[in-house]
Amino acid sequence: EAPACNKFSAQYGDIDTSEIRRSRNIVLPDQEICKSLKGVGFGSFYADNDDVVRESNLLINANGSLHSSLALATLAAVERVAVNVDSANAIRLNQQNLSTNTGFTILNQFYALDGENSLHPISYNEALANPSILEKAHNKIVLIGEAEYTGIQAYKSPISGQLTPLQMTGTSLSNLLQKNYITRPDWLPLAETLLLVALVAGCLTFLPRMGWLAALTVGIAIGVMLLMLEAWLVTQQLIWVQLATTATYVTLAVFVITSVRRVNRQKQFSRDIGIRTLMAQSSNDSLDVQFSVLRQKQPNAINKRKIYDIVTKYEQSQEFAKAENALKYLSKADPDYMDVAEKLHRISGATQKRETAQEQ
């Protein structure tokens, strides 16, 4: 390491560096160059498991020394302050604290590539052909390098798959200057877990007491509100709270609860039908016994009335053949008894229709 560049690194001492990304080797400028520099920073970016770069490492640990990123070093040079890391693992620029995620990282907002505060590239050929164009860079921070993908190392971001290191550095620097980067405080994972447990427990406790349609409506409403809250926190408060997972689990819990309830209700309904069928069958068996006993007795007024009531119950249970048999007995014992003749004619027709339908 060139001695003149030592001033741009710091020994970390008692600072916890377990979460800081490590580098086996870092190449520093020549010491003659370092003498005239206000800062030196690394320009590497590290992708997630899906090869997408979402965050910028502001510090890197190389051989026991902490080095700033090029964006952070530029910010410190512009504001003429020194970069310090205190024992609370906080980056300080004099009196200014930079809120960062675990490992001294920030989640980038890539809007800096387009819009009012965007990067404005000026090509080398444009500057040679029209030197006045350089007036656009007056009082601006100028980054020199490959502004477009030309075969050099490219990074895949959430909005593009061909971002150069210069564009990535410009995005990170713009975020730092405007304090528009997204953070995830260390306490958020625990808070997200507690919220998930509370919502699922609430669903298991209160939703079973509601109707299935009301429970489904409430569950979907909770999921939508969680997604809206996550979007608001990211866009307005620049805090990424992972509520999409919570919303998914809550919605799944609601669907499971309502599905189980509907299945249980169908089983209960089938069970009730079975019980009623058994009761009806038992009742019919009892009527058969009663009719068998009564037909062996004298057909007096009391017994004829009991047999007529049995016919009525046979009709209600649609046992037309048994009702017809009992009516024939009454008709034979007393042809003019009540409306036996008319009822026998009607029930005989119903019996013939049922038999015809069964044959077809």
Side-chain angles (χ1 to χ4, degrees), residues 97-100 105-109 172 175-176 178-183 237-239:
N97 278 341
L98 289 180
S99 299
T100 64
T105 65
I106 59 171
L107 288 166
N108 290 318
Q109 291 208 69
S172 181
N175 290 169
L176 289 174
Q178 300 179 66
K179 298 181 177 62
N180 280 335
Y181 54 87
I182 301 171
T183 60
Q237 304 300 315
L238 302 178
I239 299 176

Side-chain angles (χ1 to χ4, degrees), residues 220-294:
I220 294 176
I222 291 175
V224 171
M225 287 190 294
L226 288 174
L227 293 177
M228 293 176 62
L229 178 59
E230 178 177 353
W232 179 78
L233 288 172
V234 169
T235 57
Q236 302 299 320
Q237 304 300 315
L238 302 178
I239 299 176
W240 182 26
V241 184
Q242 295 180 351
L243 297 179
T245 302
T246 302
T248 301
Y249 279 118
V250 169
T251 305
L252 287 175
V254 170
F255 275 110
V256 170
I257 292 171
T258 54
S259 299
V260 170
R261 289 185 62 193
R262 294 197 68 179
V263 170
N264 288 339
R265 284 187 177 184
Q266 291 175 353
K267 289 182 178 179
Q268 183 64 38
F269 182 72
S270 300
R271 190 181 301 112
D272 293 342
I273 291 178
I275 293 174
R276 287 196 294 267
T277 302
L278 289 175
M279 292 177 65
Q281 183 65 41
S282 177
S283 176
N284 290 339
D285 292 343
S286 177
L287 293 176
D288 293 344
V289 174
Q290 292 178 35
F291 175 63
S292 179
V293 171
L294 289 172

Side-chain angles (χ1 to χ4, degrees), residues 10-12 15-26 42 46 57-68:
Q11 300 298 320
Y12 53 79
I15 295 173
D16 181 14
T17 60
S18 59
E19 299 293 340
I20 301 178
R21 182 174 291 275
R22 294 179 177 272
S23 176
R24 294 183 179 180
N25 184 38
I26 187 168
F42 65 90
Y46 304 93
N57 293 75
L58 299 184
L59 295 176
I60 197 169
N61 180 6
N63 300 323
S65 296
L66 295 181
H67 294 266
S68 304

Side-chain angles (χ1 to χ4, degrees), residues 286-295 297-314 323 326-327 329-330 337-338 340 343:
S286 177
L287 293 176
D288 293 344
V289 174
Q290 292 178 35
F291 175 63
S292 179
V293 171
L294 289 172
R295 70 188 300 177
K297 295 181 179 181
Q298 290 296 327
N300 54 31
I302 295 176
N303 291 336
K304 286 190 291 184
R305 180 64 191 185
K306 290 181 178 179
I307 293 175
Y308 188 86
D309 292 340
I310 290 174
V311 170
T312 302
K313 293 180 180 179
Y314 276 144
L327 285 171
Y329 173 81
L330 281 176
Y337 183 75
M338 299 181 72
V340 169
K343 183 173 289 193

Side-chain angles (χ1 to χ4, degrees), residues 18-260:
S18 59
E19 299 293 340
I20 301 178
R21 182 174 291 275
R22 294 179 177 272
S23 176
R24 294 183 179 180
N25 184 38
I26 187 168
V27 179
L28 292 169
D30 184 85
Q31 59 178 342
E32 293 300 324
I33 297 178
C34 287
K35 291 178 181 179
S36 59
L37 297 179
K38 290 186 177 181
V40 174
F42 65 90
S44 299
F45 295 87
Y46 304 93
D48 295 332
N49 293 332
D50 57 356
D51 294 329
V52 176
V53 177
R54 296 180 175 86
E55 62 183 16
S56 296
N57 293 75
L58 299 184
L59 295 176
I60 197 169
N61 180 6
N63 300 323
S65 296
L66 295 181
H67 294 266
S68 304
S69 69
L70 183 56
L72 180 59
T74 303
L75 175 65
V78 169
E79 298 189 357
R80 300 181 180 180
V81 295
V83 177
N84 295 302
V85 184
D86 59 27
S87 58
N89 282 17
I91 296 179
R92 296 177 60 84
L93 301 177
N94 283 3
Q95 300 302 317
Q96 176 186 359
N97 278 341
L98 289 180
S99 299
T100 64
N101 303 321
T102 302
F104 299 102
T105 65
I106 59 171
L107 288 166
N108 290 318
Q109 291 208 69
F110 289 91
Y111 71 90
L113 296 175
D114 188 22
E116 181 180 354
N117 297 313
S118 64
L119 306 178
H120 299 285
I122 300 175
S123 71
Y124 177 75
N125 292 332
E126 286 178 336
L128 286 180
N130 184 15
S132 63
I133 199 174
L134 295 177
E135 293 179 1
K136 293 182 178 181
H138 184 63
N139 290 330
K140 299 292 194 306
I141 298 174
V142 178
L143 301 177
I144 300 175
E146 296 284 352
E148 297 181 356
Y149 176 71
T150 55
I152 63 173
Q153 179 185 10
Y155 294 103
K156 182 180 179 181
S157 75
I159 65 170
S160 173
Q162 303 291 335
L163 292 185
T164 66
L166 182 70
Q167 290 173 312
M168 294 293 295
T169 299
T171 297
S172 181
L173 177 58
S174 177
N175 290 169
L176 289 174
L177 286 169
Q178 300 179 66
K179 298 181 177 62
N180 280 335
Y181 54 87
I182 301 171
T183 60
R184 271 185 58 80
D186 293 339
W187 49 266
L188 264 184
L190 177 60
E192 291 164 351
T193 302
L194 293 177
L195 177 63
L196 174 61
V197 172
L199 288 175
V200 172
C203 290
L204 294 175
T205 302
F206 296 105
L207 293 187
R209 304 177 185 178
M210 303 180 183
W212 73 269
L213 183 58
L216 189 62
T217 302
V218 170
I220 294 176
I222 291 175
V224 171
M225 287 190 294
L226 288 174
L227 293 177
M228 293 176 62
L229 178 59
E230 178 177 353
W232 179 78
L233 288 172
V234 169
T235 57
Q236 302 299 320
Q237 304 300 315
L238 302 178
I239 299 176
W240 182 26
V241 184
Q242 295 180 351
L243 297 179
T245 302
T246 302
T248 301
Y249 279 118
V250 169
T251 305
L252 287 175
V254 170
F255 275 110
V256 170
I257 292 171
T258 54
S259 299
V260 170

